[in-house]
Amino acid sequence: MLTQMLKAMYGCVQASSLWFALLTKLLFAEGYVASETDRCVMRCESGGLIFCILIYVDDLLIFASQAETERIRQFLTEAFTTITMSISNSISYLGMQLLWKDCVFTVDMDFYVRQTLKDWMHLPVRINPGPRDLFNINETSPLLVEQSRQLFHSTIARILYLAKRVRGDIITVVSFLCTRVTKATEEDQAKLENLMFFF
């Protein structure tokens, strides 16, 4: 039996590659050119202005004039029928807050950091992100209850995002704790708390 899939976005091994090929083909047809250093950055020059589209899976961050933004909205809607698009001088994108004000462009991750730390603000501050016994695993330490394990898991995922982008000083501790998310123990929780003291 031979089967041909006509439409798929999520769940297929090649879904992201197929989506990227479809999207870039459309953008190329509309006059955009991929950056030589990063194929996820598209650029179009028109009337002395340069417009940029940054692609992250199915999220697009568009830097363009109002007229170009409307043109982009039209051709994306024609191609994909339904799109979600917001236009603002302040946008939250992939954990970053992007702000255009008084001809100055600012990027920060303060909101993301606050959201990550909100459940841990009661902890005191430490000067070292990991305890001496960080890599020791006590097999007799009790497992966390499921709700605590899920909080442990989501917190580690958020901190990993930060560590890879702006907090390289904690990457060793976070990398180790990533190995513990499915079987986190009370000892692992204490190590996470130690890390959270460091913020």
Side-chain angles (χ1 to χ4, degrees):
M1 175 185 226
L2 183 61
T3 305
Q4 178 183 8
M5 187 178 296
L6 299 177
K7 276 190 172 183
M9 178 62 184
Y10 299 102
C12 296
V13 174
Q14 293 183 331
S16 59
S17 177
L18 294 170
W19 164 248
F20 185 76
L22 177 66
L23 180 61
T24 54
K25 181 179 177 183
L26 175 64
L27 292 173
F28 293 153
E30 293 296 332
Y32 280 81
V33 177
S35 165
E36 292 178 15
T37 55
D38 187 342
R39 306 283 300 156
C40 294
V41 177
M42 307 296 282
R43 185 185 75 254
C44 179
E45 295 181 36
S46 177
L49 298 174
I50 299 174
F51 308 123
C52 291
I53 299 176
L54 309 180
I55 303 169
Y56 183 79
V57 188
D58 58 354
D59 290 328
L60 305 180
L61 181 60
I62 301 168
F63 297 95
S65 66
Q66 196 168 7
E68 179 65 6
T69 302
E70 186 53 39
R71 187 178 84 83
I72 294 168
R73 180 197 308 267
Q74 287 175 356
F75 72 71
L76 288 176
T77 303
E78 281 178 25
F80 305 113
T81 310
T82 303
I83 64 168
T84 303
M85 187 174 189
S86 66
I87 300 171
S88 175
N89 286 342
S90 176
I91 294 176
S92 180
Y93 183 74
L94 303 177
M96 298 174 285
Q97 189 65 33
L98 310 169
L99 176 65
W100 173 256
K101 184 178 179 184
D102 301 327
C103 296
V104 175
F105 188 71
T106 307
V107 179
D108 72 51
M109 294 185 80
D110 291 346
F111 178 76
Y112 187 85
V113 170
R114 282 194 308 276
Q115 288 299 103
T116 300
L117 296 177
K118 72 179 178 187
D119 295 323
W120 305 91
M121 294 305 286
H122 63 282
L123 300 174
V125 176
R126 293 264 172 97
I127 58 168
N128 187 345
R132 275 192 294 264
D133 63 347
L134 173 68
F135 299 108
N136 295 343
I137 299 174
N138 180 355
E139 298 294 337
T140 62
S141 181
L143 292 174
L144 294 177
V145 296
E146 185 56 21
Q147 185 177 1
S148 296
R149 190 203 63 76
Q150 287 177 357
L151 176 60
F152 179 91
H153 190 152
S154 64
T155 302
I156 292 299
R158 288 178 182 167
I159 295 172
L160 179 62
Y161 183 84
L162 284 173
K164 286 187 167 189
R165 283 151 185 81
V166 294
R167 290 297 304 267
D169 56 329
I170 62 172
I171 195 69
T172 302
V173 176
V174 177
S175 295
F176 171 75
L177 292 175
C178 282
T179 68
R180 306 294 301 157
V181 295
T182 59
K183 51 190 171 291
T185 64
E186 290 177 4
E187 180 186 51
D188 297 321
Q189 177 75 14
K191 292 174 182 178
L192 174 58
E193 287 176 7
N194 188 85
L195 174 62
M196 299 311 282
F197 291 152
F198 190 63
F199 276 91

